[in-house]
Amino acid sequence: MPPLLVSCLLYSLAALAEIAGCFSAWAWLRLGKTPLWLLPGSLCLGLFAVLLTFSPADHAGRAYALYGGIYIAISLLWGWLVEKTVPDMWDIAGAILCLSGAMLILLAPHGRS
């Protein structure tokens, strides 16, 4: 599998895990769900942290920066599929901008002239 595809898949899975983990707290505190929702949520947040360590980035700060763009796009997708909130034109434009920045960070020849 091409490295770019592996990176995008890794970051997408990490984003889903983080969003699911955070949504468990949202469901408990904002939607009135049982605190038991926090158990799978905690596991999801642990999975997120582990997945992010497999980033191809050369240091954590860069890994988190490029992850941010993918996280934003996946968050909007979550809102659409799980919470039934359709992204508007501005959401989509913002996600494209963020993904472009993430790809620039991922594909740039850092430190190579």
Side-chain angles (χ1 to χ4, degrees):
M1 190 179 299
L4 177 60
L5 186 58
V6 171
S7 295
C8 289
L9 180 62
L10 171 72
Y11 283 119
S12 295
L13 290 173
L16 283 173
E18 182 180 12
I19 294 163
C22 291
F23 185 76
S24 71
W26 180 278
W28 169 47
L29 293 171
R30 300 280 302 262
L31 303 178
K33 302 292 183 183
T34 173
L36 292 175
W37 274 63
L38 297 175
L39 295 175
S42 297
L43 293 173
C44 286
L45 288 172
L47 177 62
F48 150 71
V50 170
L51 285 171
L52 212 50
T53 66
F54 292 106
S55 166
D58 56 352
H59 60 77
R62 188 168 286 144
Y64 304 153
L66 68 96
Y67 165 73
I70 294 171
Y71 175 85
I72 289 167
I74 297 293
S75 294
L76 292 171
L77 188 61
W78 174 279
W80 186 13
L81 298 176
V82 175
E83 299 181 83
K84 308 300 183 218
T85 304
V86 178
D88 64 19
M89 172 183 71
W90 300 106
D91 294 327
I92 294 168
I96 290 169
L97 183 63
C98 293
L99 285 171
S100 297
M103 289 301 106
L104 179 64
I105 292 168
L106 179 64
L107 300 174
H110 300 286
R112 292 172 270 173
S113 300

